[in-house]
Amino acid sequence: MITSQTGALGLLGHPVGHSKSPEMMNAALKAMDMPYIYLAYDVSPAELKQAVEGMKALKFRGWNVTIPHKVAITRYLDELDDSAKEIGAVNTVVYHQGKWVGHNTDGAGYLRSLTEEMSIDLSEQRIVLLGAGGAARAVGYALATAGVKKITIANRTVEKAEQLAEHLSRWTRTAAVPITDCKEAVEGATLVVNTTSVGMYPRTEEIPIPADWLHREQIVSDLVYRPRQTALLTAGKKKGAQIHTGLGMLVHQAAIALELWLGKPAPISLMKQVLETT
Ligand code: NAP
């Protein structure tokens, strides 16, 4: 029941019409018995400042931020937590002790999903990250600070791979290579993570690296969640590798946001179930 006590949460993005977050978040809020609603707001870059001022005035508890506002939002916030600072982007805003604080739950969400679904010793991982965009920065930061052995960044634009490798070298051993030239790194990797958008709907037949480079001694992980099982994951499975889909990250980054806003654990399996059925 919506009453005069109902609090507001939401998602700011452009576009947001395809997002399943309202279904997932409202189901979670109901199960958590929290008096909040979560709505998606389509806000253009030119309207961002005004939208943020409005949400502050309306005393939102917080909100999520998606493409294209993850970097631009930072200038309207009072503080950034370490993850948002290091990743250089915000996906969750929280009102905390009179301040608007930016967080980034993407990396932590990925890590929770990986360790929940896979039996994995992070300290033993030699990782190839395919891609060097926003998602790679978040996942790379989470993996590097979790103490993995080595991260090789393989990207189409090698300069971006070099910049990310340099940044992550504060926490772990790193290397950078062009994505066309990462065969040796992939063959020697225990974990291969696709953070590029290659394979995403509607170009679902595309694969970021040749299937032949994958093998059964590794985990193949894909952040792309539409389709659930990408061409890369299908190829990995055929080779006998363990596969890890992007769905868990989507759920866990949202669950961490709920925990930051409400101070309670979120219902992970229900949230997964909602995404699987909508
Ligand atoms: P982004 O910042 O735009 O980065 C895109 C990356 O993909 C760049 O490294 C880009 O290489 C690479 N790329 C794009 N097209 C390519 C192609 N044809 N061949 C090779 N590389 C290509 O995007 P993002 O925010 O990092 O998101 C990347 C993907 O992660 C998206 O599919 C997104 O849906 C997914 N994602 C999933 C979750 C989740 O919860 N599961 C969360 C966040 C993101 P260049 O640098 O050379 O352009």
Side-chain angles (χ1 to χ4, degrees), residues 177-205:
V177 289
I179 197 164
T180 46
D181 197 15
C182 66
K183 180 172 191 271
E184 200 180 318
V186 168
E187 285 174 349
T190 52
L191 172 63
V192 179
V193 189
N194 178 40
T195 75
T196 77
S197 43
V198 178
M200 190 166 75
Y201 178 82
R203 297 164 73 166
T204 55
E205 75 294 346

PDB file of all heavy atoms in Angstrom, residues 177-205:
ATOM      1  N   VAL A 177      47.285  -5.715 -23.568  1.00  0.00           N
ATOM      2  CA  VAL A 177      47.534  -6.204 -24.940  1.00  0.00           C
ATOM      3  C   VAL A 177      46.341  -5.832 -25.820  1.00  0.00           C
ATOM      4  O   VAL A 177      45.231  -5.640 -25.318  1.00  0.00           O
ATOM      5  CB  VAL A 177      47.706  -7.754 -25.002  1.00  0.00           C
ATOM      6  CG1 VAL A 177      49.008  -8.198 -24.391  1.00  0.00           C
ATOM      7  CG2 VAL A 177      46.526  -8.474 -24.348  1.00  0.00           C
ATOM      8  N   PRO A 178      46.579  -5.772 -27.164  1.00  0.00           N
ATOM      9  CA  PRO A 178      45.425  -5.608 -28.048  1.00  0.00           C
ATOM     10  C   PRO A 178      44.564  -6.871 -27.969  1.00  0.00           C
ATOM     11  O   PRO A 178      45.108  -7.979 -27.807  1.00  0.00           O
ATOM     12  CB  PRO A 178      46.038  -5.479 -29.444  1.00  0.00           C
ATOM     13  CG  PRO A 178      47.502  -5.288 -29.230  1.00  0.00           C
ATOM     14  CD  PRO A 178      47.854  -5.838 -27.894  1.00  0.00           C
ATOM     15  N   ILE A 179      43.244  -6.728 -28.108  1.00  0.00           N
ATOM     16  CA  ILE A 179      42.362  -7.892 -27.951  1.00  0.00           C
ATOM     17  C   ILE A 179      42.643  -8.942 -29.029  1.00  0.00           C
ATOM     18  O   ILE A 179      42.437 -10.140 -28.812  1.00  0.00           O
ATOM     19  CB  ILE A 179      40.872  -7.466 -27.930  1.00  0.00           C
ATOM     20  CG1 ILE A 179      39.996  -8.595 -27.350  1.00  0.00           C
ATOM     21  CG2 ILE A 179      40.387  -7.008 -29.296  1.00  0.00           C
ATOM     22  CD1 ILE A 179      38.608  -8.171 -26.943  1.00  0.00           C
ATOM     23  N   THR A 180      43.155  -8.503 -30.172  1.00  0.00           N
ATOM     24  CA  THR A 180      43.471  -9.444 -31.254  1.00  0.00           C
ATOM     25  C   THR A 180      44.729 -10.258 -30.946  1.00  0.00           C
ATOM     26  O   THR A 180      45.049 -11.210 -31.646  1.00  0.00           O
ATOM     27  CB  THR A 180      43.708  -8.667 -32.567  1.00  0.00           C
ATOM     28  OG1 THR A 180      44.565  -7.556 -32.257  1.00  0.00           O
ATOM     29  CG2 THR A 180      42.397  -8.182 -33.167  1.00  0.00           C
ATOM     30  N   ASP A 181      45.433  -9.860 -29.908  1.00  0.00           N
ATOM     31  CA  ASP A 181      46.744 -10.442 -29.646  1.00  0.00           C
ATOM     32  C   ASP A 181      46.815 -11.012 -28.219  1.00  0.00           C
ATOM     33  O   ASP A 181      47.872 -10.956 -27.588  1.00  0.00           O
ATOM     34  CB  ASP A 181      47.772  -9.304 -29.828  1.00  0.00           C
ATOM     35  CG  ASP A 181      49.170  -9.823 -30.003  1.00  0.00           C
ATOM     36  OD1 ASP A 181      49.325 -11.022 -30.272  1.00  0.00           O
ATOM     37  OD2 ASP A 181      50.114  -9.014 -29.835  1.00  0.00           O
ATOM     38  N   CYS A 182      45.689 -11.558 -27.727  1.00  0.00           N
ATOM     39  CA  CYS A 182      45.697 -12.014 -26.330  1.00  0.00           C
ATOM     40  C   CYS A 182      45.623 -13.542 -26.222  1.00  0.00           C
ATOM     41  O   CYS A 182      45.289 -14.065 -25.151  1.00  0.00           O
ATOM     42  CB  CYS A 182      44.580 -11.346 -25.527  1.00  0.00           C
ATOM     43  SG  CYS A 182      42.917 -11.787 -26.027  1.00  0.00           S
ATOM     44  N   LYS A 183      45.964 -14.262 -27.305  1.00  0.00           N
ATOM     45  CA  LYS A 183      45.851 -15.734 -27.307  1.00  0.00           C
ATOM     46  C   LYS A 183      46.640 -16.356 -26.148  1.00  0.00           C
ATOM     47  O   LYS A 183      46.106 -17.161 -25.375  1.00  0.00           O
ATOM     48  CB  LYS A 183      46.365 -16.268 -28.653  1.00  0.00           C
ATOM     49  CG  LYS A 183      46.304 -17.768 -28.797  1.00  0.00           C
ATOM     50  CD  LYS A 183      46.645 -18.153 -30.239  1.00  0.00           C
ATOM     51  CE  LYS A 183      46.353 -19.598 -30.535  1.00  0.00           C
ATOM     52  NZ  LYS A 183      47.449 -20.498 -30.266  1.00  0.00           N
ATOM     53  N   GLU A 184      47.894 -15.930 -26.039  1.00  0.00           N
ATOM     54  CA  GLU A 184      48.759 -16.531 -25.022  1.00  0.00           C
ATOM     55  C   GLU A 184      48.219 -16.263 -23.611  1.00  0.00           C
ATOM     56  O   GLU A 184      48.173 -17.162 -22.763  1.00  0.00           O
ATOM     57  CB  GLU A 184      50.154 -15.916 -25.158  1.00  0.00           C
ATOM     58  CG  GLU A 184      51.233 -16.743 -24.531  1.00  0.00           C
ATOM     59  CD  GLU A 184      52.589 -16.064 -24.715  1.00  0.00           C
ATOM     60  OE1 GLU A 184      52.867 -15.546 -25.823  1.00  0.00           O
ATOM     61  OE2 GLU A 184      53.336 -16.034 -23.737  1.00  0.00           O
ATOM     62  N   ALA A 185      47.776 -15.012 -23.388  1.00  0.00           N
ATOM     63  CA  ALA A 185      47.239 -14.651 -22.063  1.00  0.00           C
ATOM     64  C   ALA A 185      45.970 -15.455 -21.771  1.00  0.00           C
ATOM     65  O   ALA A 185      45.784 -15.954 -20.654  1.00  0.00           O
ATOM     66  CB  ALA A 185      46.954 -13.158 -22.004  1.00  0.00           C
ATOM     67  N   VAL A 186      45.103 -15.614 -22.765  1.00  0.00           N
ATOM     68  CA  VAL A 186      43.847 -16.357 -22.554  1.00  0.00           C
ATOM     69  C   VAL A 186      44.158 -17.825 -22.276  1.00  0.00           C
ATOM     70  O   VAL A 186      43.579 -18.430 -21.362  1.00  0.00           O
ATOM     71  CB  VAL A 186      42.900 -16.198 -23.774  1.00  0.00           C
ATOM     72  CG1 VAL A 186      41.744 -17.186 -23.711  1.00  0.00           C
ATOM     73  CG2 VAL A 186      42.373 -14.772 -23.852  1.00  0.00           C
ATOM     74  N   GLU A 187      45.086 -18.388 -23.029  1.00  0.00           N
ATOM     75  CA  GLU A 187      45.424 -19.799 -22.820  1.00  0.00           C
ATOM     76  C   GLU A 187      46.009 -20.047 -21.430  1.00  0.00           C
ATOM     77  O   GLU A 187      45.804 -21.105 -20.839  1.00  0.00           O
ATOM     78  CB  GLU A 187      46.371 -20.278 -23.921  1.00  0.00           C
ATOM     79  CG  GLU A 187      45.600 -20.470 -25.223  1.00  0.00           C
ATOM     80  CD  GLU A 187      46.509 -20.819 -26.423  1.00  0.00           C
ATOM     81  OE1 GLU A 187      47.752 -20.714 -26.302  1.00  0.00           O
ATOM     82  OE2 GLU A 187      45.942 -21.177 -27.469  1.00  0.00           O
ATOM     83  N   GLY A 188      46.694 -19.041 -20.899  1.00  0.00           N
ATOM     84  CA  GLY A 188      47.307 -19.208 -19.572  1.00  0.00           C
ATOM     85  C   GLY A 188      46.402 -18.740 -18.438  1.00  0.00           C
ATOM     86  O   GLY A 188      46.800 -18.766 -17.274  1.00  0.00           O
ATOM     87  N   ALA A 189      45.172 -18.301 -18.761  1.00  0.00           N
ATOM     88  CA  ALA A 189      44.310 -17.697 -17.741  1.00  0.00           C
ATOM     89  C   ALA A 189      43.469 -18.746 -17.024  1.00  0.00           C
ATOM     90  O   ALA A 189      43.023 -19.729 -17.620  1.00  0.00           O
ATOM     91  CB  ALA A 189      43.388 -16.664 -18.383  1.00  0.00           C
ATOM     92  N   THR A 190      43.221 -18.489 -15.723  1.00  0.00           N
ATOM     93  CA  THR A 190      42.283 -19.329 -14.968  1.00  0.00           C
ATOM     94  C   THR A 190      40.872 -18.760 -15.046  1.00  0.00           C
ATOM     95  O   THR A 190      39.901 -19.459 -14.788  1.00  0.00           O
ATOM     96  CB  THR A 190      42.713 -19.394 -13.492  1.00  0.00           C
ATOM     97  OG1 THR A 190      42.877 -18.038 -13.034  1.00  0.00           O
ATOM     98  CG2 THR A 190      44.023 -20.146 -13.316  1.00  0.00           C
ATOM     99  N   LEU A 191      40.793 -17.457 -15.363  1.00  0.00           N
ATOM    100  CA  LEU A 191      39.494 -16.777 -15.458  1.00  0.00           C
ATOM    101  C   LEU A 191      39.545 -15.788 -16.623  1.00  0.00           C
ATOM    102  O   LEU A 191      40.440 -14.939 -16.674  1.00  0.00           O
ATOM    103  CB  LEU A 191      39.226 -16.033 -14.134  1.00  0.00           C
ATOM    104  CG  LEU A 191      38.015 -15.101 -14.066  1.00  0.00           C
ATOM    105  CD1 LEU A 191      36.700 -15.859 -14.258  1.00  0.00           C
ATOM    106  CD2 LEU A 191      37.983 -14.354 -12.717  1.00  0.00           C
ATOM    107  N   VAL A 192      38.585 -15.931 -17.538  1.00  0.00           N
ATOM    108  CA  VAL A 192      38.477 -15.010 -18.690  1.00  0.00           C
ATOM    109  C   VAL A 192      37.149 -14.277 -18.532  1.00  0.00           C
ATOM    110  O   VAL A 192      36.093 -14.911 -18.456  1.00  0.00           O
ATOM    111  CB  VAL A 192      38.487 -15.792 -20.025  1.00  0.00           C
ATOM    112  CG1 VAL A 192      38.342 -14.830 -21.214  1.00  0.00           C
ATOM    113  CG2 VAL A 192      39.758 -16.629 -20.156  1.00  0.00           C
ATOM    114  N   VAL A 193      37.207 -12.941 -18.454  1.00  0.00           N
ATOM    115  CA  VAL A 193      35.986 -12.162 -18.205  1.00  0.00           C
ATOM    116  C   VAL A 193      35.715 -11.231 -19.386  1.00  0.00           C
ATOM    117  O   VAL A 193      36.542 -10.362 -19.688  1.00  0.00           O
ATOM    118  CB  VAL A 193      36.129 -11.295 -16.930  1.00  0.00           C
ATOM    119  CG1 VAL A 193      34.780 -10.674 -16.568  1.00  0.00           C
ATOM    120  CG2 VAL A 193      36.679 -12.096 -15.767  1.00  0.00           C
ATOM    121  N   ASN A 194      34.572 -11.414 -20.020  1.00  0.00           N
ATOM    122  CA  ASN A 194      34.205 -10.475 -21.080  1.00  0.00           C
ATOM    123  C   ASN A 194      33.482  -9.278 -20.486  1.00  0.00           C
ATOM    124  O   ASN A 194      32.379  -9.401 -19.954  1.00  0.00           O
ATOM    125  CB  ASN A 194      33.294 -11.135 -22.121  1.00  0.00           C
ATOM    126  CG  ASN A 194      32.878 -10.129 -23.184  1.00  0.00           C
ATOM    127  OD1 ASN A 194      33.690  -9.297 -23.617  1.00  0.00           O
ATOM    128  ND2 ASN A 194      31.630 -10.177 -23.603  1.00  0.00           N
ATOM    129  N   THR A 195      34.113  -8.096 -20.599  1.00  0.00           N
ATOM    130  CA  THR A 195      33.442  -6.861 -20.165  1.00  0.00           C
ATOM    131  C   THR A 195      33.136  -5.979 -21.371  1.00  0.00           C
ATOM    132  O   THR A 195      32.736  -4.834 -21.202  1.00  0.00           O
ATOM    133  CB  THR A 195      34.300  -6.061 -19.152  1.00  0.00           C
ATOM    134  OG1 THR A 195      35.365  -5.430 -19.868  1.00  0.00           O
ATOM    135  CG2 THR A 195      34.879  -6.938 -18.063  1.00  0.00           C
ATOM    136  N   THR A 196      33.379  -6.493 -22.585  1.00  0.00           N
ATOM    137  CA  THR A 196      32.978  -5.725 -23.769  1.00  0.00           C
ATOM    138  C   THR A 196      31.490  -5.953 -24.003  1.00  0.00           C
ATOM    139  O   THR A 196      30.876  -6.829 -23.396  1.00  0.00           O
ATOM    140  CB  THR A 196      33.740  -6.154 -25.048  1.00  0.00           C
ATOM    141  OG1 THR A 196      33.193  -7.390 -25.535  1.00  0.00           O
ATOM    142  CG2 THR A 196      35.234  -6.319 -24.812  1.00  0.00           C
ATOM    143  N   SER A 197      30.937  -5.167 -24.920  1.00  0.00           N
ATOM    144  CA  SER A 197      29.518  -5.358 -25.243  1.00  0.00           C
ATOM    145  C   SER A 197      29.334  -6.359 -26.385  1.00  0.00           C
ATOM    146  O   SER A 197      28.209  -6.574 -26.841  1.00  0.00           O
ATOM    147  CB  SER A 197      28.898  -4.007 -25.599  1.00  0.00           C
ATOM    148  OG  SER A 197      29.778  -3.297 -26.434  1.00  0.00           O
ATOM    149  N   VAL A 198      30.414  -7.015 -26.811  1.00  0.00           N
ATOM    150  CA  VAL A 198      30.326  -7.977 -27.919  1.00  0.00           C
ATOM    151  C   VAL A 198      29.508  -9.201 -27.483  1.00  0.00           C
ATOM    152  O   VAL A 198      29.769  -9.785 -26.439  1.00  0.00           O
ATOM    153  CB  VAL A 198      31.746  -8.416 -28.369  1.00  0.00           C
ATOM    154  CG1 VAL A 198      31.652  -9.458 -29.477  1.00  0.00           C
ATOM    155  CG2 VAL A 198      32.550  -7.207 -28.827  1.00  0.00           C
ATOM    156  N   GLY A 199      28.504  -9.551 -28.323  1.00  0.00           N
ATOM    157  CA  GLY A 199      27.652 -10.706 -28.019  1.00  0.00           C
ATOM    158  C   GLY A 199      26.303 -10.295 -27.464  1.00  0.00           C
ATOM    159  O   GLY A 199      25.407 -11.126 -27.282  1.00  0.00           O
ATOM    160  N   MET A 200      26.165  -8.970 -27.208  1.00  0.00           N
ATOM    161  CA  MET A 200      24.919  -8.481 -26.617  1.00  0.00           C
ATOM    162  C   MET A 200      23.809  -8.430 -27.667  1.00  0.00           C
ATOM    163  O   MET A 200      24.081  -8.156 -28.840  1.00  0.00           O
ATOM    164  CB  MET A 200      25.184  -7.058 -26.087  1.00  0.00           C
ATOM    165  CG  MET A 200      24.099  -6.482 -25.255  1.00  0.00           C
ATOM    166  SD  MET A 200      24.704  -5.012 -24.381  1.00  0.00           S
ATOM    167  CE  MET A 200      24.764  -3.820 -25.679  1.00  0.00           C
ATOM    168  N   TYR A 201      22.583  -8.685 -27.244  1.00  0.00           N
ATOM    169  CA  TYR A 201      21.416  -8.612 -28.118  1.00  0.00           C
ATOM    170  C   TYR A 201      21.413  -7.278 -28.867  1.00  0.00           C
ATOM    171  O   TYR A 201      21.672  -6.253 -28.235  1.00  0.00           O
ATOM    172  CB  TYR A 201      20.132  -8.743 -27.271  1.00  0.00           C
ATOM    173  CG  TYR A 201      18.872  -8.641 -28.071  1.00  0.00           C
ATOM    174  CD1 TYR A 201      18.363  -9.737 -28.751  1.00  0.00           C
ATOM    175  CD2 TYR A 201      18.200  -7.410 -28.168  1.00  0.00           C
ATOM    176  CE1 TYR A 201      17.205  -9.625 -29.504  1.00  0.00           C
ATOM    177  CE2 TYR A 201      17.050  -7.306 -28.916  1.00  0.00           C
ATOM    178  CZ  TYR A 201      16.560  -8.409 -29.583  1.00  0.00           C
ATOM    179  OH  TYR A 201      15.420  -8.302 -30.332  1.00  0.00           O
ATOM    180  N   PRO A 202      21.166  -7.144 -30.146  1.00  0.00           N
ATOM    181  CA  PRO A 202      20.692  -8.201 -31.043  1.00  0.00           C
ATOM    182  C   PRO A 202      21.816  -8.949 -31.780  1.00  0.00           C
ATOM    183  O   PRO A 202      21.526  -9.869 -32.515  1.00  0.00           O
ATOM    184  CB  PRO A 202      19.849  -7.403 -32.059  1.00  0.00           C
ATOM    185  CG  PRO A 202      20.507  -6.070 -32.131  1.00  0.00           C
ATOM    186  CD  PRO A 202      21.108  -5.814 -30.770  1.00  0.00           C
ATOM    187  N   ARG A 203      23.124  -8.568 -31.535  1.00  0.00           N
ATOM    188  CA  ARG A 203      24.200  -9.222 -32.308  1.00  0.00           C
ATOM    189  C   ARG A 203      24.750 -10.400 -31.509  1.00  0.00           C
ATOM    190  O   ARG A 203      25.922 -10.454 -31.139  1.00  0.00           O
ATOM    191  CB  ARG A 203      25.268  -8.187 -32.641  1.00  0.00           C
ATOM    192  CG  ARG A 203      24.653  -7.105 -33.544  1.00  0.00           C
ATOM    193  CD  ARG A 203      25.494  -5.873 -33.606  1.00  0.00           C
ATOM    194  NE  ARG A 203      26.692  -6.092 -34.415  1.00  0.00           N
ATOM    195  CZ  ARG A 203      27.463  -5.113 -34.856  1.00  0.00           C
ATOM    196  NH1 ARG A 203      27.163  -3.863 -34.588  1.00  0.00           N
ATOM    197  NH2 ARG A 203      28.531  -5.383 -35.572  1.00  0.00           N
ATOM    198  N   THR A 204      23.843 -11.344 -31.235  1.00  0.00           N
ATOM    199  CA  THR A 204      24.144 -12.404 -30.280  1.00  0.00           C
ATOM    200  C   THR A 204      25.113 -13.459 -30.812  1.00  0.00           C
ATOM    201  O   THR A 204      25.632 -14.261 -30.036  1.00  0.00           O
ATOM    202  CB  THR A 204      22.848 -13.111 -29.851  1.00  0.00           C
ATOM    203  OG1 THR A 204      22.184 -13.552 -31.023  1.00  0.00           O
ATOM    204  CG2 THR A 204      21.930 -12.186 -29.090  1.00  0.00           C
ATOM    205  N   GLU A 205      25.368 -13.471 -32.135  1.00  0.00           N
ATOM    206  CA  GLU A 205      26.294 -14.471 -32.689  1.00  0.00           C
ATOM    207  C   GLU A 205      27.758 -14.041 -32.551  1.00  0.00           C
ATOM    208  O   GLU A 205      28.677 -14.836 -32.751  1.00  0.00           O
ATOM    209  CB  GLU A 205      25.942 -14.781 -34.154  1.00  0.00           C
ATOM    210  CG  GLU A 205      26.314 -13.740 -35.188  1.00  0.00           C
ATOM    211  CD  GLU A 205      25.557 -12.409 -35.081  1.00  0.00           C
ATOM    212  OE1 GLU A 205      24.523 -12.319 -34.377  1.00  0.00           O
ATOM    213  OE2 GLU A 205      26.027 -11.430 -35.685  1.00  0.00           O
TER     214      GLU A 205
END
